[in-house]
């Protein structure tokens, strides 16, 4: 139990170090027992993590947004985002928006998000050495200035004739073009200055794969106090990384614990109402699609039920026949079954791909050729196919097939056909020899095996 | 940021020499006169020097470093270039780099076609090489400032050709052409041809064209500067004062991190591709002697400047004060001079207290440009060129249209009787080229008339 506590503490620490608000380990424990006190912090944590997944940073925007959004807006946003990412738990989606109950669901959602989006890995990737980047991050911080604000109302509200509007757009367009050119110039300056730093620090490498100092390194050599600050930042990063590594090790404990959470949930609500599906919230599906999907689903179920009995029968048959069969018969049977299966499969595939691959041999000649081994009086494969198709309602569209597997399959088919040829050849050889022995004074000259 | 100055033709070279001299005089003004702290003065100096000059090691040991203008000089005659270079050297403060000059034996004889069709292609490769060499010495190439006249043959003809090649070579750089408009009672009979041909060609390639009208400049010299016998030197001084007051370091008042890089200014001034003509109005302007006995107040200066803008006056004397905002003719066009964009430059004492709201009135601008986009305000609290307080206004407004109309009409009258056309066609310019140029000018005029 103490291990679990440690793992959770570590997790909350890692999250906090990477910018989220501090969530106490106790909150996680409370959430396991669906305690309502844990609801709000978990909503907020989810919001922050979702924001991180979307924009790769947790910055002051989140803090501002958290303060400005109402609880309802926040909850709706979180639900929407989770659903977008594929978390379709109905219990979660039906959580009340007032953030009063449902901490366990939130905990599960949180764990799902951590796992699905590999949030911790993303945190790790963010901790990189600033020295590698040839940018002076320290300075850009200082240079940030508020972007000049244009009075939007002046732009939009005024009633202007279309020609004036065009002129205005031309002005804005011209401004953009000139800005772009200016940025281009600055880019050139940046690279030329960088080049100069590199050439003038040539021969004093700090890292083995470079022959010069990066701009940042040079800057820090000139400004030791900045170097100190960077060192501090690096140490902080290091600590964070260490925590994340530790988390990596303790992760299984956490997931075990999460399993226990899931178990509790199952115990408390053993039979979730399967009928109470409804349309998933926050998806802009039109009802037609839902209906169609339901239809397809029921068709699939029917098909499964239908063929289940057949399969059972076949299995029974198989058991009874197996005991009363000789080795020879078994071999023959096996070969023919294999062949039949592969041909059926080929047939099926061809039918599926023929829409796309017009150059394949026409289905008719193919069917003629394989009518023989099936040896059923009237059920030719071509007639079988439609019934097969009912199995999967979507298959009438035809699926694209991997060409490699197609080639492999055709080769298999070739092999089996060759085998058959050989066997029939052998049989006729024997027959010929038998006949030859019956005819006196004759010599049988066998045809050489031709390949 | 660095600006490369192209001095094209006799006029361009003379203005260029004066421009660098004005810049240097301002940069090396006595620290006591700058009214700002030594550190900010140093910053100003460094920024201004970086823009227009480069340091290169002196030839003898005595000169440790020398200021060299980032300039390329082009003329078809040697005389003016040699004169300008030696003037620069005499100043002991700066000089032109050796080898950045291109000249030939024979001038273009005020014939645009001779410059554009003969000299232009002939010197193209060599001049581009010089420009490229200069560009490689810039960390951040902010753009090109071409100085030239409209009336002559070399500046206008070769200049137009070089501007085209420059655009091909540096498709993303900013190109500003400063052109000197000839006297209406001009000294060259074909000056209107030359002006039409030059403007129509520049309009396709340059990002902005700064117009300096000799008539206006002459008036400024006689009425404001009290020059009895106006020489080109006096006029050039006024031109350079205007240019330098805009180009010397400034910071944007709405976002203090923005400096007056060429690109930034153009972004504000010429966002619309149909409107590229700029005029510079500045206040106060007076002789050095009267300057000592004058004091100015910001509200008064700006009131004058604003009236200069709306009444389209070139100088503060003789402004028509009857023109007011909001007066419309029965057909809906406005009487006052409306702008696409304005750039207000404030330099000197107490600029933080200046109220610029008078320049933000929506009526000053065309309806499709909101004032928040139309007006940009730039400041620097350092005194400029001995003026304790000075303001300049770069405006992209209707004001050039009168002169455009005048020269186009005159040129068309001459062209309709095919006067002097054979002198142009013999150098390879076709009559269709004339017609194209007239069409382009008409288009420009009609665009500006719509403002």
């Amino acid at each position: 139990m103490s291990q679990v506590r440690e793992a959770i503490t570590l997790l909350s620490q890692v999250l906090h170090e990477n910018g989220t608000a501090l969530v106490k380990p106790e909150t996680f424990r409370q959430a396991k027992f669906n305690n309502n006190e844990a609801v709000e912090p978990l909503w907020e944590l989810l919001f922050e993590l979702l924001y991180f997944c979307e924009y790769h940073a947790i910055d002051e925007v989140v803090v501002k947004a958290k303060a400005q959004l109402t609880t309802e807006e926040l909850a709706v946003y979180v639900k929407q985002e989770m659903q977008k990412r594929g978390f379709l738990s109905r219990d979660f989606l039906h959580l009340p928006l007032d953030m009063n109950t449902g901490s366990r669901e939130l905990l599960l959602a949180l764990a799902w998000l951590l796992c699905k989006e590999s949030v911790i890995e993303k945190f790790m990737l963010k901790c990189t050495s600033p020295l590698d980047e040839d940018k002076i991050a320290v300075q850009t911080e200082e240079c940030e200035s508020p972007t000049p604000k244009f009075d939007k109302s002046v732009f939009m509200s005024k009633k202007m004739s279309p020609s004036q509007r065009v002129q205005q757009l031309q002005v804005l367009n011209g401004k953009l073009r000139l800005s772009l050119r200016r940025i281009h110039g600055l880019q050139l300056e940046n690279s030329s200055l960088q080049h100069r730093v590199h050439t003038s620090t040539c021969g004093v490498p700090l890292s083995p794969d470079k022959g010069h100092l990066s701009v940042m390194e040079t800057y820090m050599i000139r400004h030791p106090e900045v170097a100190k600050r960077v060192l501090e930042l690096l140490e902080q990063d290091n600590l964070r990384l260490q925590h994340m590594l530790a988390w990596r090790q303790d992760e299984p404990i956490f997931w075990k614990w999460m399993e226990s959470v899931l178990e509790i949930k199952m115990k408390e609500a053993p039979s979730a109402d399967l009928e109470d599906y409804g349309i998933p919230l926050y998806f802009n599906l039109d009802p037609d699609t839902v209906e169609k999907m339901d239809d397809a689903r029921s068709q699939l179920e029917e098909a499964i039920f239908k063929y289940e009995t057949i399969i059972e029968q076949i299995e029974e048959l198989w058991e009874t026949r197996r005991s009363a069969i000789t080795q020879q018969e078994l071999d023959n049977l096996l070969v023919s079954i294999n062949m039949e299966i592969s041909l059926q499969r080929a047939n099926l595939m061809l039918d599926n791909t023929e829409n796309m691959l017009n150059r394949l041999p026409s289905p008719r000649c193919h069917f003629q050729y394989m009518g023989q081994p099936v040896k059923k009086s009237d059920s030719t494969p071509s007639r079988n196919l439609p019934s097969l198709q009912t199995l999967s309602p979507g298959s009438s569209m035809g699926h694209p097939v991997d060409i490699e597997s197609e080639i492999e399959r055709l080769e298999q088919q070739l092999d089996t056909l060759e085998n058959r040829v050989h066997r029939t050849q052998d049989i006729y050889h024997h027959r010929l020899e038998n006949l030859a022995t019956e005819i006196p004074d004759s010599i049988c000259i066998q045809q050489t095996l031709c390949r | 940021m660095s600006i490369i100055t192209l001095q094209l033709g006799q006029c361009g070279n003379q203005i260029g020499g004066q421009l660098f001299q004005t810049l240097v005089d301002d940069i090396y003004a006595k620290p006591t006169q700058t009214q700002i702290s030594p550190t900010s003065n140093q910053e100003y100096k460094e920024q201004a020097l970086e823009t227009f000059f480069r340091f290169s090691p002196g030839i003898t040991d005595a000169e440790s470093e020398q200021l060299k203008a980032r300039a390329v000089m082009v003329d078809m005659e040697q005389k003016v270039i040699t004169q300008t270079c030696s003037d620069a050297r005499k100043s002991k403060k700066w000089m032109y780099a050796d080898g950045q000059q291109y000249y030939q034996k024979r001038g273009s004889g005020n014939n645009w076609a001779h410059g554009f069709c003969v000299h232009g292609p002939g010197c193209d490769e060599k001049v581009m090489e010089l420009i490229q060499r200069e560009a490689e010495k810039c960390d951040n190439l902010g753009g090109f400032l071409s100085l030239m006249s409209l009336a002559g043959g070399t500046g206008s003809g070769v200049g137009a050709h070089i501007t085209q090649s420059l655009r091909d070579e540096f498709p993303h750089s900013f190109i500003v052409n400063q052109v000197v408009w000839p006297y209406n009672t001009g000294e060259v009979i074909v000056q209107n041809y030359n002006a039409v041909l030059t403007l129509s060609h520049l309009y396709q390639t340059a990002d902005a064209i700064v117009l300096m009208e000799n008539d206006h400049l002459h008036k400024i010299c006689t009425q404001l500067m009290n020059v009895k016998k106006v020489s080109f030197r006096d006029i050039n001084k006024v031109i350079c004062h205007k240019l330098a007051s805009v180009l010397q370091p400034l910071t944007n008042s709405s976002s203090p991190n923005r400096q007056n890089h060429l690109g930034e200014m153009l972004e504000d001034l010429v966002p619309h591709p149909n409107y590229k003509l700029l005029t510079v109005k500045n206040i106060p302007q007076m002789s050095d002697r009267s300057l000592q006995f004058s004091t100015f107040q910001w509200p008064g200066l700006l009131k004058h400047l604003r009236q200069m803008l709306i009444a389209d006056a070139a100088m503060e004397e003789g402004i028509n004060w009857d023109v007011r905002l909001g007066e419309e003719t029965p057909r809906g066009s406005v009487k006052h001079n409306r702008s696409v964009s304005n750039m207000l430059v404030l330099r000197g004492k107490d600029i933080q207290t200046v109220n610029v709201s008078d320049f933000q009135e929506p009526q000053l601008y065309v309806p499709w440009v909101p004032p928040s986009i139309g007006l940009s305000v730039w400041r620097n609290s350092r005194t400029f060129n001995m003026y304790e307080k000075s303001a300049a206004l770069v405006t992209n407004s209707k004001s050039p249209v009168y002169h455009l109309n005048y020269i186009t009409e005159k040129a068309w009258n001459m062209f309709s009787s095919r006067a002097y056309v054979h002198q142009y066609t013999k150098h390879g310019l076709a009559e269709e080229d004339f017609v194209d140029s007239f069409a382009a000018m008409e288009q420009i005029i009609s665009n500006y008339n719509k403002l």
Side-chain angles (χ1 to χ4, degrees):
Chain A
M1 201 59 210
S2 68
Q3 267 185 332
V4 172
R5 178 169 288 273
E6 268 172 35
I8 293 174
T9 315
L10 198 59
L11 176 65
S12 78
Q13 198 178 1
V14 165
L15 289 176
H16 182 56
E17 277 171 351
N18 284 290
T20 68
L22 182 61
V23 178
K24 285 185 218 143
E26 179 63 14
T27 313
F28 285 86
R29 203 186 61 81
Q30 284 172 338
K32 177 178 177 179
F33 301 106
N34 217 355
N35 196 323
N36 290 343
E37 272 171 51
V39 175
E40 210 172 308
L42 284 179
W43 273 115
E44 281 173 7
L45 184 60
L46 262 178
F47 176 71
E48 284 164 344
L49 290 180
L50 283 168
Y51 183 88
F52 174 78
C53 293
E54 192 75 26
Y55 302 106
H56 312 293
I58 299 178
D59 44 24
E60 65 272 18
V61 180
V62 188
V63 183
K64 235 170 101 184
K66 267 200 309 189
Q68 284 174 357
L69 290 176
T70 62
T71 52
E72 201 164 312
E73 283 167 339
L74 194 123
V76 169
Y77 173 80
V78 168
K79 281 185 184 180
Q80 243 170 1
E81 280 296 309
M82 288 299 282
Q83 201 174 28
K84 227 188 268 171
R85 283 163 205 282
F87 188 68
L88 298 172
S89 158
R90 290 199 164 67
D91 295 328
F92 174 73
L93 292 177
H94 287 110
L95 281 184
L97 295 177
D98 54 4
M99 294 195 186
N100 282 332
T101 52
S103 59
R104 187 186 295 140
E105 276 311 317
L106 287 169
L107 181 63
L108 288 169
L110 176 72
W112 181 87
L113 187 70
L114 283 181
C115 179
K116 168 83 192 318
E117 296 286 332
S118 37
V119 176
I120 306 292
E121 274 85 347
K122 282 182 185 162
F123 281 149
M124 279 190 190
L125 285 177
K126 281 201 69 173
C127 302
T128 47
S129 162
L131 288 183
D132 281 345
E133 286 168 27
D134 250 339
K135 284 182 244 158
I136 302 185
V138 188
Q139 281 193 331
T140 49
E141 269 172 38
E142 291 158 7
C143 290
E144 262 176 41
S145 67
T147 47
K149 278 174 199 154
F150 291 137
D151 197 354
K152 221 177 175 183
S153 59
V154 183
F155 260 113
M156 299 306 165
S157 69
K158 245 189 192 169
K159 276 179 190 160
M160 286 191 294
S161 68
S163 75
Q164 286 176 335
R165 204 158 267 278
V166 168
Q167 300 276 26
Q168 188 174 67
L169 288 177
Q170 254 185 316
V171 167
L172 295 175
N173 180 31
K175 261 180 137 35
L176 279 179
R177 274 191 306 119
L178 292 170
S179 301
L180 264 179
R181 272 159 61 181
R182 203 153 51 78
I183 291 170
H184 179 253
L186 290 175
Q187 181 72 38
L188 286 182
E189 183 192 12
N190 182 30
S191 53
S192 88
L193 289 179
Q194 207 168 306
H195 176 71
R196 198 178 317 157
V197 168
H198 288 174
T199 45
S200 49
T201 57
C202 201
V204 270
L206 282 183
S207 54
D209 53 335
K210 275 193 287 187
H212 52 77
L213 296 180
S214 73
V215 176
M216 189 68 185
E217 286 162 351
T218 321
Y219 183 78
M220 285 196 299
I221 288 172
R222 257 189 87 179
H223 305 271
E225 71 281 358
V226 178
K228 256 182 221 163
R229 221 178 108 195
V230 171
L231 204 66
E232 275 168 29
L233 288 174
L234 276 177
E235 265 163 16
Q236 270 180 26
D237 258 17
N238 225 343
L239 197 70
R240 275 163 61 191
L241 277 171
Q242 268 173 7
H243 284 150
M244 283 191 256
L245 278 178
W247 160 254
R248 261 289 154 86
Q249 277 188 344
D250 291 357
E251 211 175 6
I253 304 169
F254 174 77
W255 295 118
K256 272 247 169 63
W257 180 75
M258 279 310 298
E259 272 172 28
S260 73
V261 175
L262 208 58
E263 272 164 22
I264 293 186
K265 183 193 165 189
M266 299 308 248
K267 246 185 245 166
E268 282 184 10
S271 59
D273 256 344
L274 272 177
E275 295 312 311
D276 186 24
Y277 278 153
I279 302 169
L281 290 170
Y282 313 120
F283 261 138
N284 285 330
L285 287 181
D286 64 292
D288 280 2
T289 332
V290 179
E291 253 172 48
K292 268 187 208 160
M293 275 161 72
D294 279 344
D295 281 352
R297 191 195 162 94
S298 55
Q299 269 185 26
L300 187 67
E301 272 170 8
E302 267 173 38
I304 288 171
F305 285 137
K306 197 168 126 194
Y307 285 95
E308 232 170 21
T309 51
I310 298 175
I311 290 169
E312 270 169 24
Q313 280 175 10
I314 290 174
E315 270 173 2
E316 269 173 34
L317 227 85
W318 164 249
E319 279 302 318
T320 48
R321 286 283 177 87
R322 204 170 75 149
S323 48
I325 206 163
T326 63
Q327 199 63 35
Q328 182 71 40
E329 275 174 323
L330 194 67
D331 279 350
N332 287 346
L333 216 69
L334 257 180
V335 170
S336 66
I337 285 174
N338 274 343
M339 201 157 15
E340 193 172 337
I341 287 175
S342 63
L343 286 175
Q344 285 284 13
R345 246 169 55 197
N347 215 351
L348 204 63
M349 298 257 201
L350 270 177
D351 187 60
N352 283 339
T353 51
E354 71 183 345
N355 292 339
M356 295 162 48
L357 307 171
N358 289 329
R359 266 180 281 167
L360 278 182
S362 74
R364 194 182 300 152
C365 69
H366 203 83
F367 291 159
Q368 275 181 350
Y369 161 68
M370 35 170 302
Q372 291 159 344
V374 176
K375 289 202 175 133
K376 278 181 189 169
S377 55
D378 58 1
S379 65
T380 55
S382 56
R383 256 192 234 163
N384 263 347
L385 272 173
S387 66
L388 278 173
Q389 277 175 359
T390 54
L391 246 177
S392 47
S395 67
S396 59
M397 298 274 288
H399 298 293
V401 176
D402 181 21
I403 190 70
E404 292 290 332
S405 63
E406 188 75 359
I407 289 171
E408 201 178 303
R409 201 187 44 72
L410 286 172
E411 273 171 358
Q412 263 182 14
Q413 205 176 323
L414 206 67
D415 281 348
T416 42
L417 284 174
E418 271 178 5
N419 275 339
R420 263 185 67 204
V421 171
H422 286 313
R423 268 194 302 114
T424 23
Q425 241 176 9
D426 282 346
I427 292 167
Y428 286 117
H429 269 219
H430 278 292
R431 247 191 234 173
L432 208 60
E433 254 168 41
N434 289 343
L435 283 174
T437 47
E438 281 170 22
I439 300 167
D441 299 334
S442 68
I443 302 165
C444 171
I445 301 170
Q446 291 274 9
Q447 200 185 2
T448 47
L449 292 175
C450 57
R451 275 179 186 262
Chain B
M1 197 242 348
S2 314
I3 295 175
I4 295 178
T5 308
L6 304 183
Q7 307 180 177
L8 305 164
Q10 178 182 346
C11 170
N13 275 301
Q14 282 169 345
I15 294 177
Q18 183 60 50
L19 176 64
F20 287 112
Q21 192 56 48
T22 310
L23 291 168
V24 163
D25 287 345
D26 179 50
I27 292 168
Y28 288 109
K30 280 183 204 147
T32 47
Q33 289 171 342
T34 58
Q35 295 180 348
I36 50 171
S37 69
T39 43
S40 19
N41 191 35
Q42 188 60 29
E43 263 176 42
Y44 180 93
K45 258 165 93 173
E46 278 172 16
Q47 205 189 324
L49 288 176
E50 164 77 19
T51 305
F52 292 99
F53 298 94
R54 57 188 162 86
F55 291 101
S56 64
I59 303 157
T60 61
D61 291 340
E63 315 159 357
S64 57
E65 268 187 327
Q66 268 185 329
L67 273 188
K68 293 206 169 142
R70 297 185 192 270
V72 175
M73 310 166 84
V74 180
D75 198 0
M76 293 304 123
E77 289 168 298
Q78 193 180 353
K79 193 181 71 192
V80 179
I81 289 187
T82 319
Q83 181 66 36
T84 311
C85 284
S86 81
D87 282 352
R89 217 176 268 276
K90 264 185 229 156
S91 77
K92 304 262 188 201
K93 282 177 184 153
W94 68 281
M95 59 191 284
Y96 286 103
D98 293 328
Q100 291 301 93
Q101 292 80 23
Y102 178 89
Y103 46 79
Q104 280 189 335
K105 296 272 175 328
R106 236 178 101 244
S108 311
N110 287 330
N111 187 329
W112 192 87
H114 195 192
F116 189 81
C117 302
V118 180
H119 282 312
C123 70
D124 212 29
E125 202 177 319
K126 190 79 208 329
V127 172
M128 281 303 134
E129 201 184 303
L130 298 181
I131 294 173
Q132 192 72 47
R133 200 193 295 168
E134 199 61 57
E136 276 163 17
K137 287 173 184 147
C138 303
D139 286 332
N140 176 5
L141 177 57
F144 299 91
L145 176 67
S146 307
L147 310 171
M148 56 204 265
S149 75
L150 281 182
T154 304
S156 58
V158 178
H161 197 274
I162 285 180
T163 309
Q164 280 181 1
S165 312
L166 196 62
R167 179 49 83 211
D168 291 343
E169 194 93 342
F170 299 89
H172 303 298
S173 287
F174 296 100
I175 301 176
V176 177
N177 285 56
Q178 186 275 138
V179 296
V180 177
W181 204 273
Y183 286 108
N184 276 349
T185 53
E187 59 270 48
V188 183
I189 189 83
V190 288
Q191 65 179 21
N192 296 323
Y193 276 169
N194 292 344
V196 166
L197 289 165
T198 313
L199 275 178
S200 60
H201 278 80
L202 286 185
Y203 221 78
Q204 292 164 13
T205 43
D207 290 308
I209 300 167
V210 182
L211 302 175
M212 297 283 178
E213 290 157 42
N214 264 346
D215 286 312
H216 292 159
L217 300 166
H218 193 94
K219 263 194 221 160
I220 291 174
C221 285
T222 51
Q223 297 181 17
L224 298 179
M225 313 285 283
N226 289 324
V227 183
K228 292 281 173 310
K229 215 177 145 202
V230 179
S231 66
F232 276 122
R233 199 180 169 75
D234 298 313
I235 288 181
N236 290 349
K237 266 190 185 168
V238 177
I239 292 177
C240 295
H241 179 85
K242 283 171 184 264
L243 282 179
S245 73
V246 177
L247 292 170
Q248 286 290 58
L250 290 166
T251 49
N252 191 294
S253 54
S254 56
S255 52
N257 283 322
R258 281 178 72 192
Q259 285 162 340
N260 62 332
H261 293 174
L262 205 55
E264 301 248 1
M265 293 193 283
L266 292 185
E267 199 181 312
D268 289 335
L269 279 170
V270 283
H272 197 297
N274 289 353
Y275 302 95
K276 293 182 177 180
L277 300 176
L278 304 177
T279 36
V280 185
K281 302 178 191 299
N282 64 323
I283 193 170
Q285 185 127 36
M286 54 180 61
S287 64
D288 293 350
R289 209 171 326 132
S290 38
L291 187 60
Q292 293 169 3
F293 306 104
S294 312
T295 53
F296 305 101
Q297 298 305 320
W298 278 116
L301 285 178
L302 291 192
K303 196 179 167 205
H304 273 79
L305 192 60
R306 180 167 176 276
Q307 193 60 30
M308 279 164 75
L309 171 67
I310 57 179
D312 187 26
M315 57 177 186
E316 59 202 279
E317 259 187 41
I319 310 174
N320 179 4
W321 287 93
D322 294 337
V323 183
R324 278 173 218 289
L325 286 189
E327 285 179 10
E328 292 191 359
T329 58
R331 273 165 53 216
S333 63
V334 285
K335 276 184 188 165
H336 68 267
N337 180 29
R338 256 197 330 202
S339 324
V340 175
S341 55
N342 284 320
M343 170 182 167
L344 182 63
V345 176
L346 306 170
R347 293 180 184 274
K349 231 177 172 180
D350 305 329
I351 48 165
Q352 298 311 329
T353 60
V354 180
N355 180 11
V356 295
S357 57
D358 278 350
F359 287 88
Q360 280 169 330
E361 282 175 53
Q363 285 159 312
L364 280 173
Y365 301 92
V366 283
W368 36 272
V369 172
S372 55
I373 297 227
L375 179 73
S376 59
V377 184
W378 301 78
R379 303 167 198 256
N380 197 320
S381 39
R382 190 181 188 268
T383 53
F384 170 70
N385 219 356
M386 316 287 281
Y387 289 89
E388 187 193 47
K389 290 167 188 159
S390 65
L393 186 77
V394 188
T395 163
N396 185 354
S397 66
K398 211 174 170 179
S399 88
V401 81
Y402 168 73
H403 279 93
L404 282 179
N405 236 333
Y406 183 79
I407 58 159
T408 314
E409 243 167 55
K410 278 209 149 185
W412 180 254
N413 287 340
M414 266 167 69
F415 182 71
S416 52
S417 56
R418 295 293 183 274
Y420 302 102
V421 171
H422 67 280
Q423 289 190 357
Y424 288 73
T425 48
K426 83 172 177 208
H427 289 295
L429 199 73
E431 284 193 11
E432 290 86 70
D433 295 330
F434 271 99
V435 176
D436 286 348
S437 290
F438 279 117
M441 288 303 281
E442 285 301 332
Q443 184 61 50
I444 299 170
I445 291 169
S446 106
N447 283 339
Y448 269 93
N449 269 330
K450 276 183 205 150
L451 287 185

